[in-house]
Amino acid sequence: MIFIKNGMIDTVTNGIIEADVLVKDGKIMEIGKNIVAPLDAEIIDAKGKFIYPGFIDAHTHMGLWEDGMGFEGADGNEETDPITPQLNPIDGINPMDNTFKEAVQGGITSVCTTPGSANVMGGQCIAIKTHGRRIDTMIIKNPVASKIAFGENPKSCYGKDEKTPQTRMAIASLLRENLKKAEEYLEEMELYMEHEDHDKPEYDIRMESLLPVLKGEIPFKVHAHRADDIFTAIRVAKEFDIKLTLDHCTEGHLIVEELVEEGYPVIVGPSLSERSKIELRNLTFDTAGVLSNAGLNVSLMTDHPVIPVQYLPMCAGIAVKHGMKKEKAIESITINPAKALGIEDRVGSIEVGKDADIVIWDGCPLEIQSNVIYTIINGKTVYKK
């Protein structure tokens, strides 16, 4: 049990208040003034400090590309087949990787870990906490999305070997082909469940992994930088009536009116990186602010290890410098990614009943000189400066 007193709390969803927080059994039990601290509670005096919900990175490769390693620690891309929707990061993440410790020290308490973008269908995505020894005990939701990729990455991975896909047309074609197969598989499975005399379809792990997408239970997590790739993703999604999050969205500022009309969640980044390929030629930190100011729910991401995950708050601070409103920048690394990932019932704000993922700062976290004083995950202090 933890009792945090005298702090200035940014609840994110219910404003900024000066109050106390009581944590019990891994959950936020009470928020308010003049709460009586239980005798057995660990007391943290946060006077003069700032309390935020743990920050959430909506798109990383945490634990799949291990820190300071080459091939031996690269487990994010199965570059042998462009269609691998059945892969799941739970079997590739190493939570002993040093970057999990750095995430905790930086106030990042939850991340979405995704496969890479070499494949058109790269695999499932998983939402996890950033503290733990065994990945099975760190899961928030699995799967939380299914990864698909457009543009240069799948083209460059397979086109150089004279394999499909070599073109954007082939990428879209492969998506449609496999979604149609998954639809037919689902229809056959439903007929089997409804009619005893109907043969059960032969088990297909790829098609099984796409059923949550077709049923609307999870979205496709779309790797798309260019505007035309974003529109192709939306086109295919409408054909099959499926959900999307638009990740990277590098040219989003060029098509803001269309994105507002469509209303999909956007996850912008990594903006603090070089224009390492042609489709990044319009990369700018302005994108998040432009989309947010137009009314879209914007999340920021590091694409770790492209940007080290602990610098997520710094990216939010730079976004403010480039036109994003401060409160929207905080939302972009708390409640917005929680909503985009479908885990807002547990994380993303300081509310009674939610997971006790709380970070105490000595200043505004969007300012580079501010430090994390305490990181609490699931009601346990996992870092203290």
Side-chain angles (χ1 to χ4, degrees), residues 137-356:
T137 64
M138 299 162 66
I139 296 168
I140 305 171
K141 183 180 178 182
N142 184 28
V144 76
S146 181
K147 178 73 175 289
I148 61 174
F150 292 82
E152 290 183 34
N153 285 16
K155 275 165 54 73
S156 62
C157 181
Y158 293 96
K160 61 180 171 49
D161 296 325
E162 296 186 358
K163 296 180 180 179
T164 297
Q166 294 188 9
T167 65
R168 283 178 163 83
M169 294 183 292
I171 291 171
S173 176
L174 284 170
L175 276 174
R176 289 187 174 97
E177 177 186 3
N178 284 276
L179 283 170
K180 184 60 179 176
K181 288 180 180 178
E183 278 190 338
E184 292 172 351
Y185 183 84
L186 177 58
E187 290 171 2
E188 289 297 310
M189 188 63 72
E190 289 174 341
L191 285 171
Y192 166 73
M193 297 297 291
E194 294 170 4
H195 304 284
E196 293 182 1
D197 60 343
H198 193 87
D199 292 338
K200 184 177 182 180
E202 184 177 351
Y203 178 76
D204 187 326
I205 191 172
R206 298 187 186 198
M207 298 302 103
E208 285 283 341
S209 69
L210 291 172
L211 297 187
V213 176
L214 291 178
K215 293 177 180 179
E217 296 169 356
I218 61 173
F220 267 147
K221 196 168 186 62
V222 177
H223 166 106
H225 289 283
R226 270 180 25 177
D228 57 338
D229 289 329
I230 293 169
F231 289 141
T232 299
I234 293 172
R235 188 180 313 115
V236 173
K238 287 183 173 181
E239 290 172 17
F240 290 90
D241 191 25
I242 54 183
K243 298 178 180 177
L244 300 178
T245 66
L246 300 174
D247 294 40
H248 300 302
C249 207
T250 302
E251 293 189 352
H253 58 285
L254 303 179
I255 53 172
V256 61
E257 293 85 1
E258 289 85 353
L259 292 181
V260 169
E261 181 180 347
E262 297 293 348
Y264 293 101
V266 293
I267 301 173
V268 176
S271 301
L272 190 63
S273 60
E274 63 174 332
R275 297 180 181 91
S276 57
K277 51 187 178 179
I278 295 297
E279 49 184 31
L280 298 182
R281 64 189 180 279
N282 288 312
L283 177 69
T284 171
F285 254 106
D286 294 345
T287 305
V290 170
L291 298 179
S292 175
N293 293 339
L296 285 168
N297 286 330
V298 176
S299 304
L300 295 180
M301 59 124 136
T302 62
D303 205 16
H304 177 95
V306 178
I307 302 171
V309 67
Q310 65 268 30
Y311 297 127
L312 179 65
M314 183 177 71
C315 291
I318 299 174
V320 172
K321 182 178 180 179
H322 285 256
M324 197 175 197
K325 293 181 174 62
K326 181 180 176 181
E327 65 273 16
K328 294 299 181 182
I330 293 294
E331 290 176 8
S332 76
I333 54 176
T334 54
I335 196 62
N336 284 357
K339 289 179 178 178
L341 298 170
I343 56 174
E344 73 273 20
D345 60 323
R346 291 187 56 184
V347 295
S349 61
I350 296 180
E351 298 182 62
V352 172
K354 285 196 173 185
D355 292 2

Side-chain angles (χ1 to χ4, degrees), residues 356-376:
D357 293 356
I358 298 170
V359 182
I360 303 173
W361 293 77
D362 65 4
C364 174
L366 304 188
E367 297 175 359
I368 195 168
Q369 69 270 26
S370 296
N371 297 293
V372 172
I373 306 301
Y374 284 88
T375 300
I376 299 166

